[in-house]
């Protein structure tokens, strides 16, 4: 047990010691959910050009950290509209656990909170998350029907299981969520649609492989892409330049898939490659 605690300390300490800086201006935005008001992190793009996509960023261990600030700020500077969701705080607002249908409906309400003047018409929506946030993103996208304009997911540090809700034990990497309201990531992946309506999935996979499973991708029936990046144990929990480059590649790929599908619907392009 002491060995595992020491490993965790070595993995997470660099995230606190590493000098990360935010790349964007972050404010907050209140959103009226079904039974409560929930505040999301609001990172609009600079300037007046409408964002080509809306990205919902789910926090990794529940709280908004320098990792989310760095990633969200970078994406906003690149011209995307980013809305940040603290997974643990959302669960507390919902009373700890929540119904999948309620979660999917709330995601729609959060997306609608982005001011239309800042977002291009029919801009696609991408869900982005790591750790608990990756599980939350996959769990939300797996509820049929998906939110309108939801086009794909970008995930990293993907666990084996997720939960519609939050229990304290869920923060411990070595303890997978269990019991009522939980699901395997592979089960969620199988519900991301089929054919041309299937969601596109990009996974950013670190070279060390810690806390990031990839076997679940076999259940994804739509376009999918694995993007490897160099992390190293000393950079666990740090949004390094290598990770940011992989993230940019993932977003560009998602936009290309969305563009091809849009052109296909208009009869102007061949279908995008499947899995």
């Amino acid at each position: 047990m002491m060995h595992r605690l020491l490993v965790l300390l070595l993995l997470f300490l660099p995230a606190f010691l590493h000098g990360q800086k935010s790349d964007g201006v972050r404010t907050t935005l209140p959103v009226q959910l079904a039974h409560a008001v929930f505040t999301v992190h609001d990172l609009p793009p600079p300037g007046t050009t409408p964002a080509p996509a809306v990205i919902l960023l789910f926090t990794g261990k529940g709280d908004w950290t320098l990792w989310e600030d760095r990633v969200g700020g970078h994406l906003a500077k690149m011209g995307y509209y980013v809305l940040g969701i603290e997974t643990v705080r959302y669960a507390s607002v919902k009373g700890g656990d929540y119904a999948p249908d309620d979660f999917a409906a709330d995601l729609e309400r959060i997306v609608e909170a982005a001011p239309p003047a800042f977002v291009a018409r029919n801009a696609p929506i991408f869900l982005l998350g790591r750790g608990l946030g990756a599980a939350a993103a996959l769990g939300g996208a797996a509820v049929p029907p998906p939110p309108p304009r939801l086009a794909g997911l970008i995930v990293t540090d993907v666990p084996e299981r997720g939960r519609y809700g939050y229990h304290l034990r869920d923060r411990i990497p070595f303890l997978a969520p269990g019991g009522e309201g939980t699901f395997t990531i592979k089960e969620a992946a199988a519900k991301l649609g089929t054919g041309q309506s299937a969601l596109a999935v990009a996974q950013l996979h670190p070279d060390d492989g810690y806390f990031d499973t990839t076997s679940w991708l076999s259940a994804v029936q739509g376009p999918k892409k694995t993007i490897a990046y160099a992390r190293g144990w000393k950079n666990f929990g740090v949004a390094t330049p290598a990770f940011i480059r992989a993230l940019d590649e993932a977003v560009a790929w998602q936009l290309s898939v969305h563009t091809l599908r849009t052109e296909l619907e208009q009869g102007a392009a061949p279908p995008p490659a499947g899995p």
Side-chain angles (χ1 to χ4, degrees), residues 29-34 40 42 54-56 81 83 85 104-119 123 125 146-149:
L29 184 67
V31 179
Q32 180 64 57
L33 304 182
V40 300
D42 184 34
V54 177
I55 298 177
L56 297 190
Y81 202 113
L83 295 170
I85 302 172
D106 286 343
L107 292 183
E108 288 191 40
R109 296 184 179 97
I110 292 172
V111 169
E112 291 170 356
F118 287 86
V119 180
I125 299 163
R149 307 200 330 266

Side-chain angles (χ1 to χ4, degrees), residues 51-128:
V54 177
I55 298 177
L56 297 190
L57 172 57
F58 294 82
T59 58
K61 288 297 177 183
D63 308 314
W64 189 270
T65 68
L66 285 175
W67 189 94
E68 284 78 17
D69 217 36
R70 173 86 167 90
V71 168
H74 169 76
L75 290 171
K77 279 186 65 175
M78 295 297 291
Y80 307 108
Y81 202 113
V82 182
L83 295 170
I85 302 172
E86 293 187 26
T87 54
V88 172
R89 190 162 56 81
Y90 173 81
S92 67
V93 167
K94 304 295 285 188
D97 294 322
Y98 46 81
D101 290 345
D102 286 347
F103 184 40
D106 286 343
L107 292 183
E108 288 191 40
R109 296 184 179 97
I110 292 172
V111 169
E112 291 170 356
F118 287 86
V119 180
R121 184 181 179 185
N122 296 323
I125 299 163
F126 302 128
L127 307 185
L128 166 62

Side-chain angles (χ1 to χ4, degrees), residues 157-236:
D157 295 345
V158 181
E160 295 279 357
R161 300 182 62 85
R163 182 192 306 278
Y164 290 108
Y166 171 75
H167 295 181
L168 184 60
R169 60 172 281 161
D170 297 343
R171 284 191 183 232
I172 304 174
F174 300 111
L175 293 179
E180 187 177 356
T182 64
F183 55 89
T184 70
I185 297 302
K186 200 166 187 176
E187 289 172 343
K191 299 177 181 178
L192 297 180
T194 60
Q196 295 306 310
S197 63
L199 298 179
V201 177
Q203 180 171 3
L204 310 184
H205 185 60
D207 57 356
D208 55 46
Y210 284 123
F211 308 126
D212 190 58
T213 61
T214 58
S215 59
W216 62 278
L217 283 170
S218 63
V220 175
Q221 301 180 59
K224 54 189 173 184
K225 184 179 181 68
T226 302
I227 303 173
Y229 72 96
R231 177 170 65 185
W233 68 268
K234 68 177 183 178
N235 288 319
F236 191 90

Side-chain angles (χ1 to χ4, degrees), residues 14-16 18 20 67 130 229 231 234-240 243:
F16 296 98
H18 195 283
Q20 297 187 85
W67 189 94
R130 67 164 180 144
Y229 72 96
R231 177 170 65 185
K234 68 177 183 178
N235 288 319
F236 191 90
V238 176
T240 62
F243 177 85

